[in-house]
Amino acid sequence: MTYPFGAIKADLEKAFRLPDAPPLEQPQKQDAAELSESELSTVLFEHPGV
C-alpha cells in the first residue's frame, strides 16, 4: 500500500497513536453537567424516561 510522503506504516502508526488510557483502578473525576433550564427541558422532552 502507498502511504503519503513515502512514510512506512510503522511511522504513521507511531505519529498518530492515541495516548494510553488510564487504568480502571484509578477513580476518574467527572464534573456534574450543569444544564440551563431550556437544555434540561429539551433533554426531558427527547428522553422522557430520564
Side-chain angles (χ1 to χ4, degrees), residues 22-30:
L24 293 177
E25 300 95 35
Q26 296 178 353
Q28 297 178 355
K29 290 174 45 179
Q30 284 188 333

Side-chain angles (χ1 to χ4, degrees), residues 7-26:
I8 59 173
K9 185 177 179 180
D11 291 339
L12 292 174
E13 288 173 345
K14 287 179 194 173
F16 294 102
R17 181 177 51 219
L18 295 174
D20 293 334
L24 293 177
E25 300 95 35
Q26 296 178 353

